């Protein structure tokens, strides 16, 4: 249509209009119709039905002012040729009109028209084209020239006839209006039109400003989040991330104080670890910050959402004395608390303080920004913790690696040495049938001793693995401690004549001690191992004492003390490590595997007790303490079988067996264990 117009009136020079300008112009033109004389000819051609729908209300009102109103549109859903309050003309979507936008008004005293064609756009994606809608551009003519307006009206009326020939008569009445008007000048007051136009342009400018403001806020938010995300990527140090976040947020929101600290919903107080301060504002770093009585904190805990006040000094929630004192001490006016959450659990808090006298209103965008940062900080915290856990795991792995090397060193030495001795003894015995009987005896006895050493190592190792696997079935029962101590002692006293002499061992177990609740075999094992150590590290002229005392009417504490070589204070805990030996495995003088105390700790913790060592230092003797729960009163009255009597039936105390086997018992402890514990 525009092309036909330009052919008809070649002196016309089209210019460019943005969509927003065309909307303003067409609204001003329509308002003029609504405010003006009755019965003008109005033809509006919309590109698509949806654009018409936005204006349908107006066109119903315009239709009620004149019977010469024609609305054209390319149909999408329900727009069709029809006659009603105005004439509707549905043109084919392929019609060139689908690219054009026209509005023509022919009144008696004035005529005006808008005739445009949309420029081709290069936008591709739907969202992009939606965002660019206001910037769509058109080439066209807008004028108050009557001749031009009448030409446009004529062309459009001809088009209408091709789609709706039945309107021929009505169209000819419209054409009569074109001819009937005053052709020489437009008798129209431009004032109201200009005012309306300015109003519409202002409205669209206001819309633009709002869009710009929200874009700027979004940009600021993205920049901040980026800075903090970068800090998170650069470092796994939560302290650094807190510092960057507090500073950036404080600067961006122009607050007096921005605090970030760790806390949980159940905490009463927190320690302020990081802050941003504006000049002249007092620092809170390192302070213990009360949380429990803070109404904002309670709100955050309840809703897991941001809480704030615009003026803490007048807010009725802050009337309590303590919180008022806090508010005035730190001069807090407006106050925001935003929780740092991870999987809905509170892991920290961000606070903003405004200390100026004026009341500060927190904009929704500002709060959204703090919440976005809090979300990033939450992720950073969890990442940093995961990293710390990983480091911890690494250390544990290193410790495991150390244990493995120790094991190799032990097995290298402890297994190879006795094996070589056994081999040498057996080779000598086999290679020299004439060996004197005394010499033969020495060879056999040496081989047997080293075989026993090997067996002990393998046995201890298997016992510890079994205990550590957690698959031990504890048979906890009421026991007499005295009987268990006696069993352990008997194993120590059955030493061979050629073994080193042991020191004197005294026992002090009160006769009225309640029964203890433990696994008898394992209890004898612990007593035997501690007793064995005490005798091993104490010279023959020294003394070993086994004492037992009732503690709090709940547990019995057993104390094994000796006057031997003692333990340096820094080793009191290490002696319980696997393979720990004071002299190092390769230089040991006393025999042993370095597994005994580790086994004892596993056993004692198995029945819910504790074991620890004390010593005044080297050459000042050592004390090993461990606890066993007592059985409750009702159980205490019942006489229980002793470990000794049980050993005759189903189980036999291990330490007893161990010593028996030294004396030539053919059944090894390993074999027996298979039957009783499955170790
Ligand atoms: P081992 O088989 O080497 O005795 P343990 O685990 O029983 O292994 O003991 C580990 C280390 O603890 C010993 O090698 C020793 O250095 C120290 N230790 C244990 N008991 C005593 C004690 N009564 N006096 C001094 N040191 C001890």
């Amino acid at each position: 249509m525009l092309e036909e117009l330009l052919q008809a009136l070649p002196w016309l020079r089209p210019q460019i209009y943005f969509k927003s300008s065309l909307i303003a112009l067409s609204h001003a033109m329509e308002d003029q119709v609504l405010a003006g004389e009755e019965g003008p000819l109005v033809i509006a051609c919309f590109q698509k039905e949806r654009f018409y729908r936005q204006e349908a209300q107006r066109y119903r009102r315009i239709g009620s002012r004149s019977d010469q109103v024609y609305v054209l549109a390319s149909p999408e859903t329900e727009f069709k040729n029809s006659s009603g309050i105005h004439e509707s003309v549905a043109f084919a979507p392929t019609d060139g009109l689908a690219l054009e936008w026209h509005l023509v008004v022919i009144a008696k005293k004035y005529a005006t028209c808008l005739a445009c064609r949309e420029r081709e756009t290069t936008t591709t994606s739907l969202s992009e084209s939606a965002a660019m809608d206001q910037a769509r551009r058109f080439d066209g003519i807008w004028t108050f020239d009557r001749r031009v307006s009448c030409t446009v009206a004529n062309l459009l009326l001809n088009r209408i006839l091709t789609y709706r020939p039945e309107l021929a008569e009505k169209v000819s009445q419209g054409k009569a209006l074109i001819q009937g008007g005053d052709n020489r000048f437009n008798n129209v007051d431009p004032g109201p039109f200009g005012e309306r136009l300015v109003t519409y342009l202002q409205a669209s400018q206001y819309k633009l400003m709002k869009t710009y403001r929200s874009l700027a806020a979004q940009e600021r938010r993205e920049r901040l989040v980026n800075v903090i995300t970068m800090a998170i990527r650069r470092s796994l140090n939560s302290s650094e991330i807190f510092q960057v976040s507090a500073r950036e947020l404080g600067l961006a929101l122009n607050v007096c104080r921005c605090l970030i600290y760790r806390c949980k919903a159940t905490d009463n107080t927190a320690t302020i670890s990081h802050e941003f301060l504006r000049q002249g504002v007092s620092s809170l770093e390192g302070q213990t910050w009360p949380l429990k009585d803070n109404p904002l904190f309670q709100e955050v805990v309840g809703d897991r959402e941001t809480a704030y006040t615009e003026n803490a000094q007048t807010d009725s929630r802050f009337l309590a004395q303590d919180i008022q004192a806090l508010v005035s001490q730190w001069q807090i006016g407006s106050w925001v608390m935003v929780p740092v959450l991870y999987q809905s659990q509170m892991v920290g808090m961000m606070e903003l303080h405004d200390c100026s006298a004026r009341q500060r209103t927190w904009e929704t965008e500002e709060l959204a920004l703090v919440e976005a940062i809090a979300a990033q900080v939450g992720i950073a915290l969890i990442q940093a913790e995961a990293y710390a856990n990983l480091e911890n795991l690494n250390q544990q792995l290193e410790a495991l690696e150390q244990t493995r090397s120790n094991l190799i060193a032990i097995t290298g030495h402890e297994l190879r040495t006795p094996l070589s001795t056994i081999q040498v003894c057996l080779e000598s015995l086999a290679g020299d049938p004439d060996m004197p009987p005394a010499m033969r005896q020495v060879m056999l006895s040496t081989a047997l001793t080293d075989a026993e050493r090997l067996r002990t190592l393998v046995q201890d190792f298997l016992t510890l693995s079994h205990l550590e696997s957690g698959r031990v079935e504890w048979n906890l029962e009421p026991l007499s401690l005295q009987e268990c101590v006696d069993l352990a002692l008997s194993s120590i006293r059955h030493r061979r004549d050629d073994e080193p002499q042991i020191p004197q061992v005294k026992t002090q177990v009160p006769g009225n001690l309640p029964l203890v609740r433990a696994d008898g075999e394992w209890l004898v094992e612990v007593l035997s191992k501690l007793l064995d150590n005490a005798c091993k590290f104490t010279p023959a002229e020294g003394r070993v004492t086994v004492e037992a005392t009732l503690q709090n009417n709940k547990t019995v504490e057993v104390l094994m003390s000796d006057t031997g070589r003692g333990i340096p204070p820094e080793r009191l805990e290490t002696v319980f490590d696997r393979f720990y030996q004071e002299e190092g495995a390769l230089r040991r003088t006393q025999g042993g595997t370095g597994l005994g105390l580790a086994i004892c700790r596993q056993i004692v913790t198995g029945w819910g007790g504790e074991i620890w060592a004390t010593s005044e230092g080297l050459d000042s003797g050592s004390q090993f303490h461990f606890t066993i729960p007592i059985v409750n009163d009702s159980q205490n009255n019942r006489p229980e079988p002793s470990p000794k009597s049980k050993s005759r039936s189903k189980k036999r105390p291990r330490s007893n067996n161990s010593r028996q086997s030294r004396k030539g018992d053919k059944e090894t402890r390993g074999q027996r264990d298979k039957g009783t514990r499955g170790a």
Side-chain angles (χ1 to χ4, degrees):
M1 212 280 310
L2 186 71
E3 231 160 77
E4 286 173 43
L5 174 69
L6 294 176
Q7 273 169 16
L9 307 170
W11 46 268
L12 281 175
R13 289 282 163 266
Q15 66 175 67
I16 293 172
Y17 295 94
F18 286 107
K19 181 182 171 182
S20 51
S21 315
L22 290 185
I23 291 175
L25 271 173
S26 51
H27 279 176
M29 285 163 70
E30 287 154 6
D31 284 356
Q32 198 173 25
V33 172
L34 289 168
E37 62 195 59
E38 294 284 319
L41 166 67
V42 180
I43 310 171
C45 181
F46 294 92
Q47 288 176 285
K48 295 208 160 70
E49 178 185 335
R50 77 184 90 124
F51 301 133
Y52 159 70
R53 274 205 303 270
Q54 288 167 14
E55 308 293 333
Q57 189 66 27
R58 279 171 161 262
Y59 276 85
R60 270 196 285 277
R61 276 163 54 215
I62 292 173
S64 68
R65 298 187 64 82
S66 164
D67 57 359
Q68 282 295 327
V69 180
Y70 302 85
V71 173
L72 295 83
S74 154
E76 284 169 319
T77 51
E78 49 197 37
F79 191 86
K80 55 182 188 301
N81 289 342
S82 65
S83 302
I85 200 148
H86 56 64
E87 295 298 341
S88 299
V89 184
F91 57 79
T94 47
D95 193 316
L97 287 176
L99 295 173
E100 297 182 334
W101 176 347
H102 310 299
L103 174 59
V104 53
V105 179
I106 310 289
K108 285 199 183 74
K109 293 188 182 153
Y110 76 95
T112 176
C113 82
L114 175 72
C116 298
R117 180 178 50 206
E118 185 162 7
R119 284 192 159 199
E120 282 197 12
T121 56
T122 49
T123 51
T124 45
S125 81
L126 198 69
S127 62
E128 200 185 345
S129 61
M132 295 299 288
D133 192 55
Q134 293 300 315
R136 279 163 58 197
R137 286 192 294 176
F138 294 77
D139 290 323
I141 310 287
W142 168 70
T143 179
F144 267 102
D145 185 308
R146 188 165 194 108
R147 195 174 146 207
V148 176
S149 304
C150 290
T151 311
V152 170
N154 249 324
L155 288 170
L156 283 172
L157 285 174
N158 291 342
R159 267 312 165 86
I160 289 167
L161 278 182
T162 61
Y163 284 102
R164 300 204 48 195
E166 76 276 13
L167 295 181
E169 198 184 326
K170 191 166 182 177
V171 166
S172 64
Q173 284 165 15
K175 288 196 173 180
L177 277 178
I178 297 172
Q179 268 116 47
D182 189 336
N183 229 348
R184 288 160 306 164
F185 62 94
N186 270 327
N187 191 5
V188 61
D189 177 6
F193 181 84
E195 272 166 31
R196 281 182 207 114
L197 192 55
V198 169
T199 308
Y200 288 120
L201 285 175
Q202 293 278 61
S204 78
Q205 186 60 30
Y206 177 71
K207 253 194 195 160
L208 267 179
M209 264 168 57
K210 249 178 79 178
T211 314
Y212 172 76
R213 271 225 305 272
S214 98
L215 276 177
Q218 194 176 334
E219 197 242 295
R220 201 168 52 155
R221 182 178 151 153
E222 268 166 21
R223 196 193 66 80
L224 247 187
V225 174
N226 274 349
V227 168
I228 289 158
T229 317
M230 287 290 282
I232 293 172
R233 283 207 194 119
R234 262 201 317 267
S235 151
L236 280 168
N237 177 349
S238 52
S239 173
E240 195 180 323
I241 293 161
F242 277 13
Q243 201 51 56
V244 172
S245 311
R247 189 188 59 230
E248 293 294 327
L249 201 58
L251 284 172
L253 296 188
N254 193 22
V255 291
C256 297
R257 218 185 262 121
C258 175
L259 309 176
I260 303 186
Y261 52 87
R262 286 171 191 261
C263 66
K264 294 194 295 295
T266 48
D267 286 349
N268 290 341
T269 58
T271 306
I272 305 296
S273 52
H274 297 87
E275 68 180 1
F276 160 84
L277 295 177
R278 256 227 317 261
Q279 221 178 2
V281 176
S282 46
S283 165
L284 270 166
E285 204 164 310
Q287 293 280 340
T288 302
W289 195 231
L291 298 176
K292 195 170 143 256
D293 299 324
N294 186 329
L296 286 188
F297 183 75
Q298 289 313 328
E299 240 181 88
V300 172
V301 167
D303 308 340
R304 296 284 192 273
E305 274 176 12
T306 303
Y308 67 92
T309 173
E310 285 169 2
N311 192 342
Q313 282 158 17
T314 55
D315 193 321
S316 58
R317 293 172 294 174
F318 289 75
L319 290 181
Q321 213 175 351
D322 289 352
I323 193 75
Q324 263 305 321
L326 196 78
V327 164
S328 64
Q329 182 185 358
W330 301 104
Q331 293 177 312
I332 306 170
S334 309
W335 194 346
V336 181
M337 275 195 173
V338 180
V340 178
L341 302 171
Y342 181 70
Q343 292 184 341
S344 310
Q345 293 300 310
M346 191 189 292
V347 291
M349 186 71 80
M350 298 177 74
E351 286 191 28
L352 306 177
H353 298 174
D354 194 293
C355 305
S356 59
R358 75 194 159 88
Q359 178 164 314
R360 173 162 180 168
T361 311
W362 301 99
E363 302 279 338
T364 320
E365 286 143 23
E366 291 179 322
L367 297 179
L369 178 62
V370 192
E371 280 160 6
I373 303 298
Q376 292 297 320
V377 168
I379 295 167
L381 252 184
I382 299 309
Q383 271 184 8
E385 254 158 43
Y387 180 68
N389 284 344
L390 212 65
E391 282 209 318
N392 201 358
L393 267 178
N394 260 342
Q395 279 166 6
Q396 283 180 24
L397 277 177
E398 270 170 27
L400 269 178
E401 180 58 26
Q402 184 63 38
T403 309
R404 200 182 65 91
S405 336
N406 282 351
L407 179 66
I408 291 168
I410 290 267
T411 41
H413 183 267
E414 294 287 325
L415 296 180
R416 209 175 38 217
T417 312
L419 261 181
S420 324
T421 315
I422 294 166
Q423 195 177 6
V424 167
C425 291
L426 293 180
E427 274 171 10
S428 309
L429 283 169
D432 187 0
D434 303 330
M435 189 183 283
M439 188 63 174
R440 260 182 114 70
Q441 191 51 45
V442 171
M443 290 289 173
L444 274 173
S445 142
T446 312
L448 277 172
T449 308
D450 276 30
E452 168 63 14
R453 214 172 116 193
L454 264 183
R455 195 191 60 76
T456 311
L457 174 66
V458 173
Q459 178 56 42
D460 276 358
F461 191 66
L462 289 176
T463 305
L464 186 61
S465 319
H466 185 49
L467 283 163
E468 285 181 345
S469 72
R471 282 183 281 115
V472 173
E473 275 181 32
W474 298 98
N475 180 23
L476 303 180
E477 53 198 343
L479 295 167
S480 151
L481 181 67
Q482 180 67 62
E483 287 185 23
C484 296
V485 172
D486 289 344
L487 271 174
L489 275 174
S490 72
S491 70
I492 284 283
R493 288 189 177 126
H494 280 106
R495 290 203 173 211
R496 282 200 323 246
D497 294 343
D498 57 349
E499 281 185 287
Q501 280 304 298
I502 60 164
Q504 186 196 351
V505 183
K506 262 179 61 184
T507 59
Q508 290 172 6
V509 179
N512 61 352
L513 200 70
L515 297 180
V516 292
R517 187 169 180 74
D519 185 309
E521 283 189 71
W522 289 115
L523 175 53
V524 175
E525 180 86 13
V526 173
L527 287 164
S528 304
K529 283 203 180 304
L530 295 180
L531 209 50
D532 201 26
N533 275 349
C535 295
K536 208 160 61 175
F537 298 112
T538 307
E541 58 280 12
R543 221 179 38 253
V544 174
T545 318
V546 188
E547 287 171 71
T549 45
L550 183 62
Q551 307 280 335
N552 304 330
N553 226 9
K554 279 192 185 145
T555 50
V556 164
E557 182 179 324
V558 180
L559 170 62
M560 184 88 61
S561 43
D562 63 58
T563 57
R565 76 174 196 199
I567 303 170
E570 69 280 5
R571 297 275 176 245
L572 286 171
E573 192 47 38
T574 331
V575 290
F576 291 95
D577 288 352
R578 282 172 290 179
F579 299 122
Y580 173 78
Q581 290 187 316
E582 173 65 13
E583 297 167 288
L586 306 181
R587 288 188 291 117
R588 56 169 195 80
T589 54
Q590 299 294 339
T593 58
L595 294 172
L597 289 178
I599 290 175
C600 289
R601 178 159 272 178
Q602 286 287 338
I603 297 172
V604 174
T605 42
W607 65 56
E610 284 178 278
I611 183 167
W612 68 101
T614 53
S615 170
E616 291 291 304
L618 281 179
D619 297 326
S620 307
S622 330
Q623 299 82 43
F624 281 85
H625 313 244
F626 71 92
T627 58
I628 326 166
I630 60 165
V631 291
N632 61 37
D633 282 347
S634 57
Q635 288 171 311
N636 236 334
N637 295 331
R638 263 189 283 137
E640 283 298 323
S642 69
K644 203 186 259 168
S645 58
K646 278 191 296 166
S647 73
R648 276 195 297 276
S649 54
K650 195 168 136 228
K651 295 189 208 166
R652 297 161 75 186
R654 299 158 60 90
S655 58
N656 210 9
N657 300 339
S658 155
R659 296 302 159 192
Q660 279 168 358
S661 68
R662 279 191 184 200
K663 290 170 77 190
D665 186 345
K666 287 277 155 36
E667 186 190 16
T668 65
R669 191 164 63 174
Q671 285 165 337
R672 275 195 303 277
D673 280 341
K674 270 188 191 147
T676 55
R677 296 187 191 283

